[in-house]
Structure formats: structure tokens, C-alpha cells
Amino acid sequence: MNSTTALLFASTLLLASPAFAETPNVVVSIKPVHSLVASIMKGVGEPSLIVEGGASPHTYTMKPSNAAALQAAKVVFWVGPGLEAFLDKPLDTLGTGAQVVELGEAPGLEKLKFREGGAFEGHDHGEEGHGGEAGHEDHGHAHAGEADGGEHADKHDGHDHAEGEFDMHMWLDPMNAKAMATEIEKTLAAADPSNAATYKANLERFNERIDSLDKGLAETVAAIKDKPFVVFHDAYQYFENRYKVRVAGSITVSPEVLPGAERLSEIRAKIKELGATCVFAEPQFEPKLVSVVIEGTPAKSGTLDAEAGTLDAGPDLYFQMMENIGVSLKECLSSAS
């Protein structure tokens, strides 16, 4: 074998090896989920993110670059139409060549229904909740598992799919993050078998970090679990359920529907009545509303960021976001009377 032939043979072997196999083009809807996907893809490739920076899926508008990413995608991960409603139709028209995985249906998730009623008022999710419209159209999305059904269920690929029934902020329970990561690893290993061993190893490391995070969060909030607080919108019940902290109510049911002056006055009175010690803003939405709400009350203000709008995207974001929530709760509630 001459030198030229040997070089060509070596090049062919390199190109055929797993290291040079084409990494699937993966697109993810929001930062917390992107962090999970990036953790599983570490050492293989980097997923693309749609909702970047401080934007929120509740109010997001698709950009041309997002449309191009969906058209080129092999795999798309999202939570589901109850959260990223802006993606629903584009996935039907632009993401037709991709496997679309709805992580809100991942096996093993603990799913909590929207709270009806509550400290402030009844929540009419049919009008201003996070859920999609009851008349949502059928499409061929690949779901991670079967939904539990419900009175607002539709059919997708033969599965009952409950829309608007469950709180979609499921990642705020680290055990749900584990369930999502498991589904992500399974999907990527099937789409990219040459890197399956790496995805599996990354999932094992991710789960170890989650267990450590979970233990640390429980310790962080242990001393303030009995102190009631108010959030900007009712996005934290998964965190509340996991760590037994006391959310007394929310300023608005849904961030798409901001409260009027009368509503703010009612909330201010309720804060005094309930003895809520802290009211938490969110960086993606109008922070002045919190100042208005706590005026004339002994409550203090803080910030919680359930969608990681202030953090840089990447595999560490999920852990930073969850730790920040725990620390913010502890700092504000510990300092409040």
C-alpha cells in the first residue's frame, strides 16, 4: 500500500468513526429544558435554543431564525402546547421533518393540576390560564408518553392529550427534571446510536447532580418553610410541593393577563390579612407591580426566576436556577418579620 492509498484509507476510517458521525440537529424551546438537553449532549454537540435571553414562553413571538432552526431540526424538545403555545402551529408547518418530543408527557413525571381557587380568588383557566384552546387541532407530534386525559382532552397520535389541565412548570421539581432527562437520553440514543454510550453516561452524571441539588435545596429552605409568601404568577407549585414551602397566592393567574388597579388593591389587602412576609417579582415581567402591591404592607420584595431569564444558557443553568430560587426564598423570608 503506497502512502497516498494509506492516507485515503485512514481518512475513510476517521470519517466513519463515531466521533465524526453527524450529530443530530437538536432544537429546544426554553432555557430550563435546553439545560437538560445540553447536559445529556455534553461532549457530543450543542442544542439550539428558541426562547433566548430574558424572553418568556408566555409572551414569545417566533423569529425568522427560529423558523429556520425548526426546518433544519432532526429532534425538537418542548414542554407542550400548554406552555409554549407560540410553537404549536410552527411545529405543524415547519417542524415536519423532525421528531417532536413533548416532555410534558414524559413517563415518570409527577403532574399537578392547576390550582382552582386559592388564597386570592378562583382561577378561571379557561379564560386566562396557561393552557391551550379547547379546539386545538390534531397533528403528528411524537409524544413522550400518554396523558392522563380529562374533560379538555384531544386526540394526538391516538393518545388522550389533556390541554390546560396541568400546571406546565414541571421542571421546578428536580425529580421531574430526572424524568425529562431520561426521556431526552432515550430519544437521543435512538436518533444517534453512535453516541448512545455518551448520552447514557451523561444521564448518570446528571442524575447524581440532581440528587445532590435536591438535598441541598431541602436544607436551604428548611428554616423558612412555615413563612407564607406571594409570587408574581402561580408557577411554583412543583417547587412548593417538593419542599413544602408556603405560597399564599399570586398577583396574577397568568402573566399574559396583568391585573388592574382594583385587583392590586385587593391583593394588598389580602397580603395584610394573610401575613405574607415576602412578595416575589419575576425578571421577565413588570417588576413595578410588586412595589405597588407591597406599598402600605410590612411585606418585603424579592425576585424568583422560574424560567432562568437572567442566566446564560447551558448545562449548568438548571442547577443555578434552582439554587437561586432556594437562596432567594431563604434570604427574603429570613429577613422578614
Side-chain angles (χ1 to χ4, degrees), residues 7-333:
L7 181 61
L8 289 171
F9 181 72
S11 299
T12 301
L13 287 177
L14 285 171
L15 290 172
S17 69
F20 284 82
E22 183 180 356
T23 302
N25 191 354
V26 178
V27 177
V28 189
S29 58
I30 60 172
K31 280 184 172 181
V33 174
H34 178 272
S35 182
L36 307 187
V37 178
S39 292
I40 305 304
M41 292 186 70
K42 198 168 185 178
V44 176
E46 295 183 4
S48 299
L49 173 64
I50 293 180
V51 183
E52 297 179 309
S56 169
H58 297 289
T59 55
Y60 193 74
T61 301
M62 285 278 289
K63 300 175 182 178
S65 58
N66 301 147
L70 288 179
Q71 286 184 315
K74 183 174 181 179
V75 181
V76 178
F77 292 104
W78 67 328
V79 181
L83 183 79
E84 308 102 316
F86 73 91
L87 261 182
D88 203 17
K89 290 183 179 179
L91 285 174
D92 283 338
T93 57
L94 300 171
T96 54
Q99 179 184 6
V100 181
V101 181
E102 186 176 327
L103 292 173
E105 301 298 333
L109 284 180
E110 179 177 9
K111 297 168 72 172
L112 303 176
K113 292 189 176 184
F114 279 117
R115 285 191 268 221
E116 299 298 332
F120 291 159
E121 65 183 12
H123 294 357
D124 185 357
H125 293 284
E127 295 182 3
E128 61 169 341
H130 301 240
E133 296 177 359
H136 177 69
E137 297 176 358
D138 290 345
H139 46 69
H141 297 173
H143 297 293
E146 292 191 15
D148 297 325
E151 63 178 304
H152 300 300
D154 326 75
K155 298 289 184 180
H156 290 255
D157 298 338
H159 294 168
D160 287 337
H161 181 81
E163 297 235 328
E165 184 178 359
F166 294 103
D167 185 334
M168 300 298 287
H169 299 84
M170 299 163 185
W171 62 87
L172 291 178
D173 181 338
M175 298 304 104
N176 279 349
K178 267 190 172 183
M180 290 180 172
T182 298
E183 188 64 25
I184 291 164
E185 184 270 337
K186 176 183 174 183
T187 301
L188 292 175
D192 181 22
S194 62
N195 286 304
T198 301
Y199 297 137
K200 182 179 179 181
N202 285 343
L203 176 63
E204 291 173 355
R205 284 190 288 270
F206 175 84
N207 285 339
E208 289 174 0
R209 289 188 71 185
I210 286 289
D211 289 340
S212 178
L213 171 72
D214 184 49
K215 181 179 178 181
L217 286 171
E219 293 172 352
T220 297
V221 302
I224 50 88
K225 289 197 294 186
D226 294 330
K227 293 192 174 184
F229 60 95
V230 173
V231 295
F232 179 77
H233 82 290
D234 194 12
Y236 298 90
Q237 72 163 317
Y238 286 97
F239 191 99
E240 177 187 357
N241 184 64
R242 180 70 185 171
Y243 301 108
K244 310 308 177 188
V245 293
R246 289 185 59 195
V247 175
S250 59
I251 293 176
T252 181
V253 174
S254 171
E256 299 98 326
V257 184
L258 296 181
E262 183 177 353
R263 164 77 168 159
L264 293 176
S265 296
E266 292 172 356
I267 295 170
R268 190 182 301 114
K270 282 291 185 180
I271 289 171
K272 291 181 179 179
E273 177 186 332
L274 293 166
T277 54
C278 284
V279 180
F280 290 94
E282 294 181 31
Q284 298 91 343
F285 306 109
E286 182 53 69
K288 292 181 180 178
L289 286 176
V290 172
S291 299
V292 172
V293 164
I294 65 173
E295 184 178 353
T297 78
K300 295 190 175 184
S301 64
T303 300
L304 298 177
D305 191 2
E307 295 161 5
T310 60
L311 300 177
D312 293 332
D316 294 329
L317 173 142
Y318 179 80
F319 300 90
Q320 294 170 357
M321 176 192 71
M322 295 296 287
E323 288 169 356
N324 288 352
I325 291 173
V327 170
S328 294
L329 288 171
K330 180 180 179 180
E331 288 182 348
C332 187
L333 292 169

